[in-house]
Amino acid sequence: MFLGSTWFHTRGEPREAVVAFSMIDKGNWVLPVNSGVDMAYKPPFFHWCIAVVASVVGSVNEYTSRMPSALALSAMVLVGFVFYARRRNTETAFLAALITLTNFEVHRAGVACRVDMVLTAAMVIALFQLYKWGERGLKGVPLTGVLALSAAALTKGPVGIVLPCVVTAVFLWIRGMRFMKIFFSFLAVALLSCILPALWYYAAWLQGGEQFYGLVYEENVLRFLGKMSYESHINPAYYNVVTVVAGYVPYTLLLLVSLFFLHYSKPTGKPLLWWKRFKEYIRKMDDVRLFSLLSIVIIFVFYCIPKSKRSVYLLPIYPFIAYFLAEYILYLRRRHLKSLQIFGSIMAGAALLLTLVFGAVRAGCVPDAWFSSGRHAAQNLAYLHALRDTPLSFLDLVIVLLPVAVAFLYFRLQRRRGQGNGIIYACIGVIFSIFFALDGLYQPLILKVKSDKAVAGQIGKLVPEGILYGYHSNNPKGNPMRHFTVNFYLGDRIVPFEDFMPEKGFLFMGEDQYDVFMSFYGRDYVLEDVYNSGHVSCDDRRVNHLYRFRKTEGTN
């Protein structure tokens, strides 16, 4: 509903959206070039999805760019619900679906113009389909699974095929299926899944040649080995643990609260005995729970190996964690209802506090002096003024009051006897209302200040048409910095200055880059400052200026 309400405010979203824009604008759906010289770092399935939606709606904008992620999340949740409802029970499946929708990491990815949610949905749907294929004894061809694997590979490379196949193969091997049958069956599925991606890779190689080959090798091989030509999200192994704990907010709080209600016993026996008990527990675990557990463990361990780690890499394990959380919450409802009541009260209190703080800001109870010092004082003041001074519509007032209404309904339900059946859904209702308010009002107001969209609007008035040039010093090889947000909102008009060395034109760069630029090109070019954005860019954290430039006389 609110996909288009928030302007692009990170460099990642416009970097993906501009690829889809260039597909439509230049008519190249195989290997489009944006910013004058850049090939997309990822395969094109996600960008195809944006371009298709934009072709129907009319333009590539915030809404159409985020729609594929939202649709992918919806499809993943629906398929997961059907999978668990048929093999466990409807309530567990429904609760797992709600938990998947309302944890921080999945929600964030589901409303963002990034490849991660489309990749996650394709991998998770492939896992479910391959499991169903295993139930049939690996007979026939799992066509839906093959298509999902192909989509995953066309979203982010071969890992989208490898991981679902490995997880399901290990599961079937543990359950006693012959290794050779598993190996050749999954090899055939993997090869079938490579056909569509291979067609694109070949067509892209015909266009991009060695440059395309080098990009693919770096992104898929050197990234895994930690030997990329530039550092990309280098993090230690424990980073993955921290990101999952943080990513599952607010349900990590429920787990923390519940620890105070569980009964504990002192461990008995030696480590060897513990290992035997663990193996017996795994052996007796039902198929659905074992498959879900393996999906979590294998994917998590795999993403601990590369040096490059991001929280979104682990998104495929979130629906399976949601399943175990659903079982655990139903257990708490039966045995430790008080823990759910405390968690729900905290969430309802947070909803009321959110509204109270916003009301205090609107009433002028938060003085500017509180934000007038510090490194980011100007931006923090702008955030405050956006929350305080922006006129509110009737819909905005509804959004503000919704968490209050849901919180009061929760407290009313909690006071009733026999409320156990509804307390879970009341808690989740409060969480939904908080996300609704953040997405619908608070985030758009705040992040409008952070976005470079207004800067792009001013530049568009000063230079309404034609190419502009951008400059960043010390661009790392293979990962050049660009003015992604401004470039997107200007319609992909900014190209790198150093790649073209034009006679004259307009140059967009940070004010701290001026001396660096002049040290390289000062003998050949004259610059005139025509526009100071006065805004800290969401892309490079610089205050950027627009300069008019020309070559000096006598310079070739």
Side-chain angles (χ1 to χ4, degrees), residues 363-408:
C365 298
V366 180
D368 289 359
W370 290 7
F371 299 92
S372 60
S373 61
R375 182 180 177 183
H376 304 295
Q379 193 169 51
N380 292 335
L381 276 173
Y383 293 152
L384 176 64
H385 292 168
L387 289 170
R388 187 183 65 197
D389 303 330
T390 303
L392 301 181
S393 66
F394 176 76
L395 177 60
D396 293 332
L397 294 176
V398 172
I399 293 171
V400 169
L401 295 176
L402 181 64
V404 177
V406 177
F408 277 112

Side-chain angles (χ1 to χ4, degrees), residues 145-163:
V146 168
L147 292 175
L149 291 171
S150 299
L154 279 169
T155 302
K156 208 172 182 180
V159 68
I161 295 176
V162 173
L163 277 179

Side-chain angles (χ1 to χ4, degrees), residues 189-243:
V189 164
L191 291 175
L192 284 174
S193 303
C194 288
I195 293 175
L196 292 178
L199 292 175
W200 172 78
Y201 276 102
Y202 178 69
W205 176 75
L206 290 179
Q207 287 191 25
E210 289 301 313
Q211 182 183 357
F212 172 73
Y213 172 79
L215 180 63
V216 171
Y217 183 71
E218 176 139 34
E219 287 294 314
N220 292 282
V221 178
L222 298 183
R223 179 181 290 275
F224 184 79
L225 298 175
K227 297 181 179 180
M228 301 180 72
S229 59
Y230 62 95
E231 290 191 359
S232 176
H233 311 292
I234 305 300
N235 288 293
Y238 66 81
Y239 171 86
N240 283 343
V241 177
V242 174
T243 56

Side-chain angles (χ1 to χ4, degrees), residues 272-288:
L272 183 61
L273 180 61
W274 299 345
W275 175 245
K276 290 181 178 179
R277 289 175 178 172
F278 176 74
K279 290 194 297 182
E280 184 67 14
Y281 173 76
I282 294 296
R283 188 181 68 82
K284 293 182 177 180
M285 184 181 288
D286 67 77
D287 287 349
V288 172

Side-chain angles (χ1 to χ4, degrees), residues 132-445:
K132 291 169 63 178
W133 185 45
E135 290 180 322
R136 302 195 302 268
L138 303 183
K139 295 178 181 178
V141 178
L143 182 58
T144 305
V146 168
L147 292 175
L149 291 171
S150 299
L154 279 169
T155 302
K156 208 172 182 180
V159 68
I161 295 176
V162 173
L163 277 179
C165 288
V166 168
V167 169
T168 315
V170 170
F171 164 74
L172 293 174
W173 178 66
I174 290 176
R175 281 301 186 236
M177 188 175 287
R178 291 185 296 110
F179 176 80
M180 296 308 294
K181 180 179 181 179
I182 295 172
F183 177 80
F184 286 109
S185 296
F186 278 91
L187 178 61
V189 164
L191 291 175
L192 284 174
S193 303
C194 288
I195 293 175
L196 292 178
L199 292 175
W200 172 78
Y201 276 102
Y202 178 69
W205 176 75
L206 290 179
Q207 287 191 25
E210 289 301 313
Q211 182 183 357
F212 172 73
Y213 172 79
L215 180 63
V216 171
Y217 183 71
E218 176 139 34
E219 287 294 314
N220 292 282
V221 178
L222 298 183
R223 179 181 290 275
F224 184 79
L225 298 175
K227 297 181 179 180
M228 301 180 72
S229 59
Y230 62 95
E231 290 191 359
S232 176
H233 311 292
I234 305 300
N235 288 293
Y238 66 81
Y239 171 86
N240 283 343
V241 177
V242 174
T243 56
V244 172
V245 171
Y248 244 102
V249 169
Y251 297 100
T252 46
L253 177 60
L254 172 61
L255 293 177
L256 180 62
V257 170
S258 69
L259 293 178
F260 294 95
F261 292 86
L262 301 179
H263 301 292
Y264 303 95
S265 58
K266 185 177 180 180
T268 58
K270 296 181 179 180
L272 183 61
L273 180 61
W274 299 345
W275 175 245
K276 290 181 178 179
R277 289 175 178 172
F278 176 74
K279 290 194 297 182
E280 184 67 14
Y281 173 76
I282 294 296
R283 188 181 68 82
K284 293 182 177 180
M285 184 181 288
D286 67 77
D287 287 349
V288 172
R289 298 185 84 241
L290 178 59
F291 176 73
S292 300
L293 180 62
L294 288 173
S295 298
I296 296 170
V297 173
I298 293 175
I299 294 174
F300 182 88
V301 171
F302 175 84
Y303 280 115
C304 286
I305 298 172
K307 292 182 179 180
S308 178
K309 297 177 180 66
R310 294 181 62 219
S311 60
V312 291
Y313 293 170
L314 296 173
L315 278 170
I317 74 176
Y318 276 65
F320 301 101
I321 294 176
Y323 163 70
F324 286 106
L325 270 176
E327 287 193 333
Y328 183 64
I329 289 173
L330 292 174
Y331 162 78
L332 292 177
R333 187 180 67 182
R334 295 191 304 268
R335 302 290 298 274
H336 304 289
L337 182 61
K338 191 67 175 178
S339 62
L340 289 173
Q341 292 174 332
I342 293 174
F343 171 68
S345 297
I346 294 173
M347 290 293 98
L352 293 175
L353 181 61
L354 177 67
T355 309
L356 181 63
V357 170
F358 181 67
V361 171
R362 296 293 296 188
C365 298
V366 180
D368 289 359
W370 290 7
F371 299 92
S372 60
S373 61
R375 182 180 177 183
H376 304 295
Q379 193 169 51
N380 292 335
L381 276 173
Y383 293 152
L384 176 64
H385 292 168
L387 289 170
R388 187 183 65 197
D389 303 330
T390 303
L392 301 181
S393 66
F394 176 76
L395 177 60
D396 293 332
L397 294 176
V398 172
I399 293 171
V400 169
L401 295 176
L402 181 64
V404 177
V406 177
F408 277 112
L409 287 174
Y410 169 80
F411 285 123
R412 184 178 179 182
L413 175 65
Q414 185 173 283
R415 289 197 300 270
R416 295 179 180 177
R417 291 185 177 182
Q419 82 279 33
N421 289 332
I423 198 73
I424 296 173
Y425 303 105
C427 290
I428 294 177
V430 173
I431 297 170
F432 261 115
S433 72
I434 293 174
F435 279 126
F436 189 83
L438 291 173
D439 292 343
L441 181 63
Y442 302 125
Q443 180 173 283
L445 287 178

